[in-house]
Amino acid sequence: MNAFQPSKPPLQPVEQRRTVPRPKRHLRQRAYQIMALETTAKVAVNIVISAAAVSALVQLLPYHWSQQDKLRRVRTEVKVMEGRVQNLQTEFTRNFDPGEAKSIMQQKSFRFDPNQRPVILMNQEQTGTEQSNSVP
């Protein structure tokens, strides 16, 4: 019982898995290279898009400035015209006011009402000098 017994060969040989060392360092380095390439491509595309945007702005700025200048001129003309329109409206309402009709006719025709006496204003300094000149 305590004797050595012959060992029995296994029926199927136990397969030893062959461990092939993976080049992990190489795979990581490859992944970093791909990420660097992808990041470089993104940066390059963003630079191209930014350059196109800056170029478009440079071309549009003179047009924008000229449009602002035209708008400024139009606004000043509108202000001038609003003043003229206001004057014309007040003159129009005055022309069609029945109380002002007589005075307007006198202004336009340079005739006076027969009941109205002309008043001539004289400057006191001129009258004094004229009297002194006329006295011998």
Side-chain angles (χ1 to χ4, degrees):
M1 291 208 183
N2 287 341
F4 289 103
Q5 294 179 2
S7 64
K8 294 181 183 177
L11 298 175
Q12 293 179 348
V14 176
E15 278 188 38
Q16 291 275 335
R17 288 190 182 167
R18 213 174 188 197
T19 57
V20 177
R22 288 187 175 180
K24 291 182 181 179
R25 186 180 298 166
H26 180 63
L27 288 176
R28 283 184 189 159
Q29 188 177 13
R30 179 86 172 157
Y32 290 144
Q33 286 176 349
I34 291 173
M35 283 177 31
L37 183 64
E38 182 180 338
T39 305
T40 305
K42 285 180 183 179
V43 168
V45 167
N46 285 334
I47 289 173
V48 168
I49 291 172
S50 298
V54 167
S55 171
L57 282 177
V58 166
Q59 290 176 357
L60 286 177
L61 277 177
Y63 177 74
H64 174 71
W65 291 332
S66 68
Q67 293 299 316
Q68 290 295 323
D69 188 40
K70 287 179 184 178
L71 182 63
R72 201 173 303 115
R73 277 189 256 133
V74 167
R75 284 183 179 161
T76 55
E77 288 180 17
V78 165
K79 286 182 182 179
V80 169
M81 288 299 142
E82 283 176 349
R84 283 187 62 197
V85 166
Q86 184 65 29
N87 291 339
L88 289 173
Q89 282 179 342
T90 55
E91 186 179 334
F92 180 78
T93 55
R94 182 175 173 259
N95 286 340
F96 284 97
D97 186 13
E100 295 284 328
K102 194 172 189 179
S103 65
I104 292 172
M105 284 191 292
Q106 285 179 357
Q107 286 176 357
K108 300 290 181 182
S109 65
F110 299 108
R111 292 187 180 174
F112 297 102
D113 190 15
N115 297 333
Q116 184 180 7
R117 292 184 183 217
V119 176
I120 299 174
L121 299 175
M122 298 180 69
N123 194 352
Q124 289 290 341
E125 294 174 8
Q126 287 179 351
T127 57
T129 56
E130 286 177 8
Q131 288 177 358
S132 64
N133 289 340
S134 61
V135 176

